[in-house]
Amino acid sequence: MIRLDTREAGFAAAFDDLVNARREADSDVERDVRVITASVRDEGDAAIRAFTQKFDGHDLDESGWRIESSELAAAYDGLEPDLRAALELARDRIAAYHQKQKPADSDSTDDAGVRLGARWRSVDAAGVYVPGGRAAYPSSVLMNAIPAKVAGVERLVMVTPTPKGEVNPLVLAAAHITGVDEVWRIGGAQAIAALAYGTQRIAPVDVVTGPGNAWVAEAKRQLYGVVGIDMVAGPSEIVVVADAANDPEWIAADLLSQSEHDPSSQSILFTDDALFADSVAKAVDRQIGTLSTKDVARQSWDANGAIILVPDLMAALPLVDRLAPEHLELAVDDPDSLFAKVRHAGSVFLGRHTPEAVGDYVAGPNHVLPTGRRARFSSGLSVLDFMKRTSFLSLGQAGIDAIGPAAVKLAETEGLPAHARSVALRLKS
Amino acid sequence: MIRLDTREAGFAAAFDDLVNARREADSDVERDVRVITASVRDEGDAAIRAFTQKFDGHDLDESGWRIESSELAAAYDGLEPDLRAALELARDRIAAYHQKQKPADSDSTDDAGVRLGARWRSVDAAGVYVPGGRAAYPSSVLMNAIPAKVAGVERLVMVTPTPKGEVNPLVLAAAHITGVDEVWRIGGAQAIAALAYGTQRIAPVDVVTGPGNAWVAEAKRQLYGVVGIDMVAGPSEIVVVADAANDPEWIAADLLSQSEHDPSSQSILFTDDALFADSVAKAVDRQIGTLSTKDVARQSWDANGAIILVPDLMAALPLVDRLAPEHLELAVDDPDSLFAKVRHAGSVFLGRHTPEAVGDYVAGPNHVLPTGRRARFSSGLSVLDFMKRTSFLSLGQAGIDAIGPAAVKLAETEGLPAHARSVALRLKS
C-alpha cells in the first residue's frame, strides 16, 4: 500500500505512476494466445482437447465435452433452499434492471418526405465465459446470461473450465435458472477461440462476453472483429471516497472486497482526514488476518493498495476521473453533489450504506464493468452488447427529388460517378 | 463476376465460398502495423515524422504538422455556393438523425427502497480518421464528426494524410462546418497510434473512429482497448434484392456505386428473373466503360461481383442474412414485407427510389457501417460510440436490510469473505 498526499512534493509524479501502472497482459501472454487461437482455428476440436488436457488436466473424450441440461437442473435441485432463494432474488432483480435497457426502434417521415429509422435485433448466438477454479462465480453467470436472454438471444452458450474435471454446482444452477442453452467444459484462450471460429462440435457465436484471466482477456482482444466482445477486461478495481464520519471497519472491508479478488486487483481510498486514513489502514491490516482469502488480499493490498489524502473531497474528483475506476464508492452524507462532478467510472455506489459488494450480486446493475481506465470510453455490460441496430431509409419520387441533387453534387465532387449516376437516374427529369 | 443459381448443383458450396471469402488484412499487414504502432508508442513525434516522410512523401517539420482553423474557414469560404449548400444540407440532416440517438438517463427507486439508475456522458476527446488521396471524402468527415459533436465531445481531433503535402479543401470545409477542434496532417497506422498513445505534440484521445485502408483498420484492431474504436472496418459491400420490374440501368448503377470504391469492394444482386439478371449484367458492362473510376470498378466487379438467381425473392433473405451485408437494397414494390424477415444488415434501403448512394451523403443515417459479416453483431456508427454509461446504486438502511442478506449468502458461497463482511457490517443488528 502506498500513501500519498496531494499537498506533498512529488504527488503529481507519484499519481501519474498510479494512473499509468500496467497490471495487465504482457507480451508473453500475447504470443501464447496467438498460438492457441491459431491452433483452434486450424485444428478445431483436436486442439481444444489437447489444450484442455494440458491446462485443465482432463481428457474431454473421457470426462465429456458437454454438461447436459439435466445436470444443470439437478445442480439447482440440490441447492439448499436459502441459497436457491438468494440466486432467484438476484436473477429477478438483475432481469428487472436490464429490461429497462431494451432500446426502442424508430420509424418516422420528415418534412422532405424521407422515411428514416432504426431497428434493433438481438444477435443470433452468444457465448458466455465463466472462469473455473477459484473464480467460479455463479454471479458471473447471472450477470452475463441475463442481459443476453433479455436481449432475445436464442442460442446462449456457456463455456467454463473444469480443472481436473471438477464442476461447480453453483455455476450449473445459475446456468439453469438463466436459461443457458449449451454448456461446454472448456476454458482459457482455447474456449474463446472455439466460440469465435467454431469447431466440429461447437458452432460459432456472434458475441463473446464474460470475465477471465489474462489469457482469456487477450484472446477476446485478439479475436475482436471475428466476433463481437463486451470489452477488454483487466484486474478489478475500487476507489472509495470517504470522509471521517464513516466507520473505518466498513471502509476497510470495502477496500478488501476488491483486494481479495486477485493479487493484481487495486483498492484506493481518498479521504480528507489523516487520522481516518490511519484508522482505515489499521482496520485493513487487522481484517486481512481474519480472511480465508488473506494471501491474495495481502499481496494485492501491499502491491496495489493506496490511501490518498486530499484537502477536501471535491479535490479528489479530478483524480478519480483520471483513474476512471471500475467501481467508485462515495461514502458521504450527500453523495449526489460529488457524483455530479464525476465523469468517468464504471459503476458508482452512493452513500454510506451502499457497499460495492451488494452491486456484485443482487442490486440489479451489471457487475461486468470497464477496468484499466476504460470507463473513459466504455460502459458496463448491458442488453445492447447482445443487440445491433440496422438503420433504414425509404424515399419516393418526391423525397429523391428533394435531397437527391445535393447527393449528386457531393458524389461528383468526391470523384464517384457511379454514386452520382445511381441517384441522378432516379430524379424526375 | 460470378453467376449462381440456388437451384443448381453445387450452389451451397459456391455460396459458402462467397460468405467466407476473406477480402481483408493479411498477416503482413498485421506485422507491419505492429512495428509502426510500437514505434509511435516508444518514440512519439520522431516516429510520426519518419513514417510520414516515408509513406506520404513530405517532411512535417517543413509542411507543418497542423492545419489551423483559419485554413479550415478559408477552405469553406472558397467553395462554390451550391457545393456549400449541399454540404450544409447534409450536415443538418445528419445532425437531425443523430440527435434522436441521444440516450436517456434513468434514476428510480424500487419497491425494496433501492435507488438504481444509469447516467450517460460523452467521452472527453475523440479522434476521427479521414483517408487521404483517392478516398479523401468530405462525407466521411460529416459522418464521423457530427455524432461526436452531438454526443457532446469537447475535443474532436481529425487526422488525415496529405500525400506529398497536398490537402483536400472539401475535407477542410467539412471539418469547418462540423466544429472539428484540431486537424493534423498525418495518416496511416501511425496516425491511429498517435491518437491512442499520444505523442509530444498530440494529446491522446479516448475513442478513434473513421474508415481507412487495411493498415488503418488493423491499427484500430490492435489498439482497441488502449482506446475505444467504432468498429473493425473492411471493404465496402452492397447486396441488392431486385425483381424484374426495376430498370436494369438503375440497378447496375447501384451495384457499380460499391464497385467503384475499391478493387476489394463487393456487389451482389439477388433476383428471381434470369432475363433481368442478363440485362443488369449487360448494363453493368456498358456503364463501367463510361466511368472515370472504370479501372477500379472493373477489377472489383470481375473479382467480387455476383448475380444470384433465386426461385423467389423471399428465398434470398436467409442468404442475405448469412452475408450480413453493410448495405442492402430491397428494390421491390413492398419492401417492408421483405425487410421484416431480414435479421442482419448494416443499413437497408427500401423501395425503387432509394439508391444506397443517397444514404452515403444526405439522407441522415450514418454511412459508417459494419462490413465483412459484422452486421451479425455490430451497428453503424452512432452517438453511442462517443458516449459511455455509468450505472449507479444507492441504498439506505432499509434497502441493505432487504437485499443485503442474499448478497452475504452468495458472497460466502463464492468464497469471498470480505465481500460478505462489507455487506454484513451494514445490516441492522
Side-chain angles (χ1 to χ4, degrees), chain A residues 128-418:
Chain A
V128 169
Y129 189 92
V130 179
R134 191 176 64 208
Y137 298 148
S139 58
S140 287
V141 179
L142 303 183
M143 292 293 182
N144 284 276
I146 292 168
K149 281 294 177 188
V150 169
V153 173
E154 291 207 351
R155 177 174 165 254
L156 181 58
V157 184
M158 184 173 114
V159 291
T160 189
T162 57
K164 302 189 190 302
E166 284 165 26
V167 295
N168 179 331
L170 259 293
V171 163
L172 303 190
H176 175 72
I177 64 164
T178 51
V180 169
D181 300 292
E182 293 172 23
V183 182
W184 298 88
R185 303 162 73 101
I186 59 175
Q190 61 273 20
I192 303 297
L195 292 170
Y197 292 122
T199 70
Q200 295 86 344
R201 280 186 173 84
I202 306 171
V205 303
D206 303 303
V207 171
V208 177
T209 70
N213 61 21
W215 283 261
V216 169
E218 176 61 17
K220 285 166 68 181
R221 203 190 61 79
Q222 288 183 16
L223 293 170
Y224 170 67
V226 176
V227 75
I229 67 171
D230 49 345
M231 67 190 70
V232 177
S236 197
E237 310 147 357
I238 192 170
V239 168
V240 179
V241 175
D243 59 23
N246 287 280
D247 184 331
E249 297 291 336
W250 295 15
I251 301 300
D254 297 356
L255 295 167
L256 287 171
S257 75
Q258 293 307 303
S259 304
E260 73 176 347
H261 267 302
D262 192 273
S264 62
S265 300
Q266 183 161 58
S267 303
I268 299 175
L269 169 66
F270 286 91
T271 185
D272 55 358
D273 187 299
L275 289 178
F276 179 74
D278 291 340
S279 305
V280 172
K282 276 180 209 145
V284 165
D285 283 335
R286 195 170 49 237
Q287 285 189 26
I288 284 183
T290 70
L291 300 172
S292 58
T293 51
K294 61 174 155 253
D295 292 345
V296 171
R298 170 56 68 197
Q299 281 182 65
S300 165
W301 178 249
D302 286 354
N304 305 311
I307 296 181
I308 301 175
L309 202 63
V310 287
D312 61 89
L313 295 184
M314 279 291 177
L317 302 183
L319 305 173
V320 169
D321 267 345
R322 288 195 56 206
L323 291 163
E326 181 187 15
H327 305 107
L328 172 63
E329 286 186 10
L330 300 174
V332 296
D333 278 336
D334 177 21
D336 282 297
S337 65
L338 294 180
F339 185 35
K341 306 276 187 192
V342 172
R343 288 190 56 83
H344 309 305
S347 195
V348 179
F349 302 84
L350 301 167
R352 305 187 196 282
H353 285 81
T354 315
E356 184 276 324
V358 79
D360 280 341
Y361 294 108
V362 294
N366 211 286
H367 80 195
V368 181
L369 295 163
T371 56
R373 303 183 58 231
R374 298 191 187 89
R376 287 175 297 133
F377 56 81
S378 66
S379 310
L381 191 68
S382 81
V383 167
L384 297 182
D385 290 296
F386 300 95
M387 302 188 80
K388 70 268 174 21
R389 188 185 57 243
T390 297
S391 57
F392 62 89
L393 197 58
S394 179
L395 279 67
Q397 189 65 57
I400 190 102
D401 289 341
I403 67 172
V408 172
K409 184 79 196 166
L410 289 166
E412 284 170 348
T413 309
E414 290 189 353
L416 294 172

